[in-house]
Amino acid sequence: FLLIGIPGLEEEQFWIAFPFCIMYGITLLGNITLLLVIKAEPSLHEPMFLFVAMLAFTDLVLSTTTLPKMLSIFWLGFTEIGFPSCLAQMFFIHTFSTVESGVLAAMALDRFVAICCPLRHSRILSAPVVLALASLVLARGVLLVSPTCFLLHRSRFCRRRVIAHCYCEHMAVVQLACGDTGPDVNYGLFVAFLVGGTDLVLISVSYAMILRVVARLPSREARLKAFSTCTSHVCVILAFYTPALFTCLAHGFGQGVPSATHIFVANLYLLVPPTLNPIVYGVRTKKLWDRVV
């Protein structure tokens, strides 16, 4: 297969790669720092920071799966990718995107328990429970994404094998397959809406309960302090779901969206959250910031 990058911006890709490379460097430095600090500091071995560590690991996998190949396309013109490598890249991208969504939902549950049941927080979200949630989130991603790879592995590709994208995104590869691709398209959209819908409902319900409890607190200072613990998580949710929803809707219903815009946003979907997450949590979480500095 040939990955051509961003259609319509072939001449600008060389310069676009520079901010992408800087973002990748920030991603590596920030997320590795978070993992090392959380691992080394026993006082951070609590649910909130364990979920932050899961998020950091997921972001490292997502960015490393895509950025090195993307930069080699933009700077060196290495557009070729073998079919097994393409399937592997697609599997890791979509599996760990699903994992990240699940971790964000688990973090919303953690904030709900911390604010609504503070005295029982450590008992409800004990280390075994957090480990079980992490295993469930990972298993869900693997089980839901694996069929997309198996379906494509059985497909025939008789068209020109040029992928109009910077990485092996599922729908972009499906468009090159011969025969009936309806099952591939329908299953891909089903997984996207199932994961996004389930996790967004869980996040929405958690925050609705949090708002109800916070609104009953006696003083304005207490309300601000309670909700300030959620601001980092809200920022991360917006950074992840906004481009993700745009990308998903553009595949299903956005035939009028220019391909360059669609692919550029799809790149930001894999670049912005991994770059912002360590900054948001490192700066806004005092307990974590104190250990970093």
Side-chain angles (χ1 to χ4, degrees):
F1 290 95
L2 295 177
L3 291 163
I4 64 172
I6 306 175
L9 296 177
E10 288 84 0
E11 297 298 324
E12 292 80 8
Q13 286 180 166
F14 179 84
W15 302 107
I16 292 173
F18 284 97
F20 281 12
C21 184
I22 292 170
M23 293 171 73
Y24 183 49
I26 295 171
T27 296
L28 292 178
L29 178 62
N31 287 293
I32 290 174
T33 300
L34 279 183
L35 288 172
L36 293 176
V37 169
I38 292 171
K39 182 178 184 296
E41 182 55 53
S43 67
L44 298 178
H45 296 173
E46 55 186 62
M48 175 184 175
F49 297 109
L50 293 177
F51 286 128
V52 170
M54 293 177 207
L55 200 64
F57 176 77
T58 303
D59 286 339
L60 284 172
V61 174
L62 274 176
S63 57
T64 303
T65 301
T66 54
L67 257 296
K69 179 60 182 176
M70 196 183 301
L71 293 176
S72 73
I73 295 170
F74 291 174
W75 278 338
L76 304 175
F78 292 164
T79 59
E80 292 186 6
I81 185 169
F83 186 51
S85 300
C86 187
L87 282 181
Q89 187 186 55
M90 186 177 73
F91 173 78
F92 279 103
I93 289 171
H94 292 291
T95 296
F96 280 89
S97 295
T98 302
V99 169
E100 179 143 354
S101 180
V103 171
L104 292 176
M107 293 173 83
L109 178 64
D110 171 65
R111 292 299 84 205
F112 163 72
V113 176
I115 292 174
C116 300
C117 313
L119 299 180
R120 294 185 293 163
H121 180 241
S122 59
R123 190 168 75 244
I124 294 173
L125 286 176
S126 60
V129 172
V130 172
L131 180 61
L133 282 173
S135 301
L136 181 63
V137 166
L138 179 60
R140 183 187 69 162
V142 172
L143 292 175
L144 286 177
V145 173
S146 294
T148 63
C149 299
F150 289 130
L151 285 170
L152 275 175
H153 188 265
R154 297 174 56 187
S155 300
R156 292 184 304 108
F157 296 89
C158 52
R159 303 175 190 174
R160 188 164 171 253
R161 299 188 180 188
V162 176
I163 303 174
H165 216 298
C166 301
Y167 54 85
C168 290
E169 196 266 344
H170 175 244
M171 292 296 187
V173 179
V174 167
Q175 292 173 0
L176 303 181
C178 304
D180 181 19
T181 59
D184 300 81
V185 173
N186 292 333
Y187 183 75
L189 290 174
F190 165 75
V191 170
F193 283 107
L194 174 67
V195 172
T198 302
D199 293 343
L200 283 174
V201 166
L202 180 56
I203 291 170
S204 300
V205 170
S206 298
Y207 274 100
M209 300 294 290
I210 288 171
L211 287 172
R212 190 175 72 171
V213 171
V214 170
R216 294 176 180 174
L217 294 175
S219 66
R220 183 172 179 271
E221 291 75 14
R223 290 193 294 270
L224 289 175
K225 184 178 180 180
F227 197 68
S228 67
T229 63
C230 302
T231 53
S232 299
H233 186 232
V234 171
C235 292
V236 170
I237 288 171
L238 292 175
F240 178 78
Y241 280 109
T242 302
L245 288 174
F246 176 87
T247 301
C248 185
L249 292 173
H251 271 308
F253 313 103
Q255 284 74 19
V257 178
S259 59
T261 302
H262 176 203
I263 293 170
F264 193 79
V265 174
N267 291 337
L268 294 181
Y269 161 60
L270 295 180
L271 283 171
V272 173
T275 305
L276 286 182
N277 291 350
I279 297 173
V280 169
Y281 277 105
V283 171
R284 289 201 56 85
T285 307
K286 185 177 185 302
K287 193 173 181 180
L288 193 54
W289 177 250
D290 291 341
R291 299 301 184 281
V292 173
V293 299

